[in-house]
Amino acid sequence: MGDFDNATSLQAGPPTRLAVPRPGRPRSDKVHRAILDATRELIVERGFANLHLEHVAARAGVGKTTIYRRWASKEALALELLLALAAPHLVIDDTGNTREELTAAVSNAIRGLTRSAFGPVIRALLSNIADNPALGDPFRATVVQARRVEIAAVIARGIERGDLRRDVNTDVATELLVGPVYFRLMFGGELNDEFATSVVDTLLQGLA
């Protein structure tokens, strides 16, 4: 449940909640979480193509109108679920050590995919994020952009400390850090701490 507490902390891109309750009808956090839990379960069990809001309502034990007051579409509901599950794995603390922070950028992505509910959901949704703009575009504008902002701050701190070259291309560096994680997710390979260390060591050979 704790994953859902952080969804509204993502500030990059458009608002994380795409549909809001009507005025005068206060939202129940218990109901909201039940809906997100039901959505997560159904996406993993049946896939996004077979996700229907009436099925979510039945699984959550709420009326269909409760769903439609909050989300205009299943894409909006899936996006909020992704935001909630991804948020705990995005922030990179300023530790004063550039290598540690770069490693955290990789490890956070690995942890989200392998040790949290985000992993099964993003696996189920990857193809939809790629070919459905109603889901993919806001996902890139929120979750992906939030990760880029966090890693950009790490790189800026590394440059300021004198640990990284001043001509580092932040966008490319970000993709070199996180891209290998998703490559292994798609095509196979261990996702562990040793891999995170290897990615950072390789990156630093060119950027230190």
Side-chain angles (χ1 to χ4, degrees):
M1 288 296 207
D3 286 336
F4 296 147
D5 296 332
N6 296 297
T8 56
S9 67
L10 293 180
Q11 300 299 321
T16 59
R17 187 153 293 118
L18 300 187
V20 296
R22 293 174 182 171
R25 303 182 70 93
R27 175 167 54 202
S28 163
D29 286 343
K30 182 178 180 180
V31 167
H32 200 72
R33 292 184 182 197
I35 293 168
L36 291 180
D37 277 334
T39 303
R40 173 180 53 79
E41 293 168 4
L42 289 169
I43 285 174
V44 173
E45 291 172 14
R46 304 179 186 182
F48 188 70
N50 295 314
L51 179 71
H52 302 284
L53 295 185
E54 56 266 32
H55 297 162
V56 175
R59 178 71 64 95
V62 302
K64 286 192 294 184
T65 55
T66 300
I67 303 284
Y68 287 107
R69 281 199 302 269
R70 290 162 167 79
W71 297 278
S73 66
K74 69 177 186 178
E75 285 84 2
L77 177 53
L79 176 64
E80 180 155 350
L81 175 65
L82 286 167
L83 288 165
L85 296 177
H89 310 290
L90 295 173
V91 175
I92 304 170
D93 293 330
D94 181 353
T95 66
N97 184 302
T98 300
R99 180 183 288 273
E100 285 182 2
E101 293 174 24
L102 291 171
T103 302
V106 185
S107 297
N108 285 359
I110 291 174
R111 185 177 66 250
L113 292 173
T114 62
R115 304 176 198 171
S116 82
F118 178 73
V121 172
I122 196 67
R123 285 180 173 88
L125 291 177
L126 273 177
S127 63
N128 304 105
I129 289 170
D131 63 21
N132 183 344
L135 179 61
D137 289 350
F139 175 77
R140 285 183 282 273
T142 52
V143 176
V144 175
Q145 181 61 19
R147 191 180 298 280
R148 284 185 177 278
V149 168
E150 286 291 318
I151 296 177
V154 169
I155 292 171
R157 292 194 293 268
I159 292 172
E160 184 177 352
R161 294 172 189 140
D163 297 330
L164 299 176
R165 289 166 31 191
R166 302 196 68 84
D167 62 348
V168 171
N169 184 313
T170 301
D171 286 340
V172 172
T174 299
E175 291 156 7
L176 290 172
L177 284 167
V178 182
V181 176
Y182 280 86
F183 184 92
R184 287 202 170 189
L185 173 70
M186 293 289 292
F187 300 108
E190 291 292 326
L191 289 171
N192 50 33
D193 292 341
E194 290 75 16
F195 178 62
T197 298
S198 178
V199 169
V200 172
D201 287 346
T202 302
L203 183 77
L204 285 175
Q205 290 179 21
L207 302 185

